[in-house]
Amino acid sequence: MSGLDGQNPLVLVDRENHSFSVARRSFVDPVILEAERERIFSRCWLYLGHESELAKPGDFVTRQVGGRHVIFAKNPKGEFRALLNTCAHRGARVCRERSGNAKSFQCFYHGWIFGLDGNLRHLPDEEAYPEGFKDRPSSGLKPVPRFERYRGFAFVCFDENAVPLTDYLGKATEYIDIVADQSEAGMTVVGGTQEYSIRANWKLLAENSYDGYHAATNHATYLDYLRNTNGGLANVALVGEGRDLGNGHAVVEYKAPWGRPVAQWIPMWGEQGKTEIDAIFARLVERHGQERAERIATRNRNLVIFPNLVINDIMAVTIRTFYPVSTDYMQINAWALGPSEESSWAREYRLFNFLEFLGPGGFATPDDIEALEQCQRGYANAGEVAWNDISKGMNRNPPAYDDEAQMRAFWTQWNSRIGGTAA
Amino acid sequence: MTNVNRADLEEFLFQEALLIDNWQLPDWLKLFTDDAHYYVPSTDVAEDAAAENNLFYIADDRFRLGERVTRLMKRTAHAEYPRSKLRHLISNVLIRKAEGDLIEVGSVFVTYRSKDGQTDVYFGSNIHKLVKTGDGLRIREKRCILASDGLRPQGRVSFIL
């Protein structure tokens, strides 16, 4: 088990003794961050956006993905495009708006104008360039090397030779399907993005996003809030499993007592809520059968698609990405996803539910942020206390939702990509 | 109460800020009406966007606002333990609207938050919808509109803005 430098291992596994350790150096060493940029964020499929964000031809959003500036757009024919947001001439970002609708993108520096497919349409003083200059591929906006979509979720990859998206997602598609199947008309990203940051290494948020073990202590005040809320809890126990989905993807799937807009009723939602939830559930049964409808409606899923896409289908559905800026600082974007056809009642309660737990103003996420930042501070002692323990549940099969099998799946993939050999 | 002028409104907003800075949150909560709301919209939606169909950072009704205060007064509100030090600067107070007992007041805030040797600045506009009552002014709605692009590098709104 060699590490990045061929000598010091970053992940130590001893299955016989149920031991799994990660070197704390992995969270603080700039050399490791450089390796992650090269071997993970430049090679893996990364989430770009959701199709619902581009309703009409000409719609676009600009986004940073894997450190690159990308335009996600719908061309006049209604086809999705992912272009690198940099002028072929001198490099300026040609689109500086976050979102909008455009017929073309004009670079404000020298005035080159590009179509939504990236082709160079016009450049001032064209006579000063050879004939055919405008039509050369090198004159246009370069498309992202790979761009593929799965059930509304659009991904890019900066490695021309990457495997197709569906091969990369592998068994994770089953869990994307469960989210996509919640709607007949298509899931939609609700307006409003939570954009925040954590002064901690990005991998800590991957771990935290499907950590079932920390709830009782880290989220004690959230659980207090649910108990204080009249009718805030369904009569359901927290119980479920963690699953390694291969390729570094993993999920925890479990039952929980909180209300789910698709579709677990809680008494607080009253008679109107009962009618709404019953109708949503009945339609799920018609479309997917009793067993699958129950799985969709009453199970929660925290999914991490390697390296940094979280799709948590819990008291609401959130899509979340996070990228390292430095070893001890990450930037996070989070969106809410819901069925585009859901009633105003369901949408309102979905968002109300979302904010009671999730996001930088919620009753839980700020305490996660605090925990991750305190871990990062603790790694100042990595020279003396060198290892994290990720072994919970190695001694039982199947692992429970509050064990750490899902994190071991992440770290095993991370280690093999970074250059160590996963055991 | 009648004839509320800007000095009265400034006094009210300054007192409110003082209660937050002093972590006297149960007293702060008493400034709100029973049907009050407290909003912090995300920064890529319109300032008057509705929380019913847009993702905010915070959208509390009166019950949840009370629970927020209850939570923040506990040691187990880890994000605020040990408690951050806060100073709210409130300025540019303007009466936006006044109709009967309702007054809508705009102001600008710059809030410093210090914890664990790290200081962050939050800045933006407040819109207070106030009601004149027999006991003085009460807040029916407080909307804190962050002027920053998202919450970077602040990362959280774990205290009261």
Side-chain angles (χ1 to χ4, degrees), chain A residues 98 190-199 217-222 224-226 228-230 268 329-336 344 347-349 351-364 366-367 369-370 373-374 377, chain B residues 37 40-45 50-61 63-72 74-82 113 115-120 148-159:
Chain A
R98 300 172 50 103
V190 177
T193 314
Q194 294 186 337
E195 299 165 287
Y196 58 109
S197 55
I198 304 178
R199 291 180 174 108
T217 47
N218 196 31
H219 298 314
T221 60
Y222 169 71
D224 291 345
Y225 160 76
L226 287 184
N228 290 346
T229 305
N230 191 16
M268 192 188 97
Y329 183 69
M330 75 177 105
Q331 294 187 334
I332 303 111
N333 285 334
W335 297 270
S344 54
R347 178 63 54 85
E348 184 180 341
Y349 276 87
L351 293 174
F352 191 82
N353 255 20
F354 188 110
L355 294 185
E356 78 182 11
F357 187 91
L358 290 162
F363 281 28
D367 295 338
I369 294 171
E370 176 73 9
E373 292 188 349
Q374 293 301 333
R377 283 177 182 244
Chain B
H37 286 86
V40 181
S42 50
T43 54
D44 62 340
V45 300
E52 290 76 21
N53 54 16
N54 287 279
L55 181 63
F56 279 26
Y57 290 114
I58 295 174
D60 284 348
D61 58 13
F63 171 75
R64 196 156 74 186
L65 185 59
E67 289 296 311
R68 184 176 294 277
V69 167
T70 303
R71 165 179 142 75
L72 285 175
K74 291 178 183 170
R75 281 172 63 108
T76 44
H78 307 293
E80 289 296 335
Y81 184 84
R113 173 181 186 266
K115 184 175 186 292
D116 279 339
Q118 181 78 49
T119 299
D120 284 312
S148 49
D149 270 343
L151 280 168
R152 293 174 184 151
Q154 305 91 337
R156 80 220 78 193
V157 194
S158 49
F159 56 98

Side-chain angles (χ1 to χ4, degrees), chain B residues 7-161:
Chain B
D8 298 325
L9 294 168
E10 284 183 337
E11 174 76 13
F12 180 81
L13 296 178
F14 294 166
Q15 291 293 346
E16 188 214 345
L18 190 63
L19 291 173
I20 302 171
D21 288 347
N22 289 343
W23 284 91
Q24 293 172 264
L25 298 184
D27 291 331
W28 173 75
L29 189 64
K30 290 177 193 156
L31 299 176
F32 286 79
T33 62
D34 290 342
D35 59 351
H37 286 86
Y38 168 55
Y39 295 118
V40 181
S42 50
T43 54
D44 62 340
V45 300
E47 294 188 356
D48 61 351
E52 290 76 21
N53 54 16
N54 287 279
L55 181 63
F56 279 26
Y57 290 114
I58 295 174
D60 284 348
D61 58 13
R62 176 59 183 74
F63 171 75
R64 196 156 74 186
L65 185 59
E67 289 296 311
R68 184 176 294 277
V69 167
T70 303
R71 165 179 142 75
L72 285 175
M73 298 312 287
K74 291 178 183 170
R75 281 172 63 108
T76 44
H78 307 293
E80 289 296 335
Y81 184 84
R83 276 180 193 154
S84 56
K85 292 180 184 172
L86 301 169
R87 287 298 179 271
H88 286 68
L89 306 183
I90 306 290
S91 181
N92 304 21
V93 175
L94 286 171
I95 299 176
R96 291 163 53 97
K97 226 187 278 179
E99 284 171 10
D101 286 338
L102 303 175
I103 310 171
E104 191 175 304
V105 190
S107 60
V108 169
F109 67 87
V110 179
T111 297
Y112 291 84
R113 173 181 186 266
S114 205
K115 184 175 186 292
D116 279 339
Q118 181 78 49
T119 299
D120 284 312
V121 181
Y122 297 75
F123 63 101
S125 303
N126 285 326
I127 297 174
H128 282 79
K129 292 183 179 170
L130 302 176
V131 193
K132 290 186 247 179
T133 75
D135 297 326
L137 292 167
R138 289 291 177 272
I139 304 167
R140 179 165 284 164
E141 182 183 307
K142 178 176 179 179
R143 181 177 282 246
C144 305
I145 301 154
L146 291 161
S148 49
D149 270 343
L151 280 168
R152 293 174 184 151
Q154 305 91 337
R156 80 220 78 193
V157 194
S158 49
F159 56 98
I160 302 292
L161 260 183

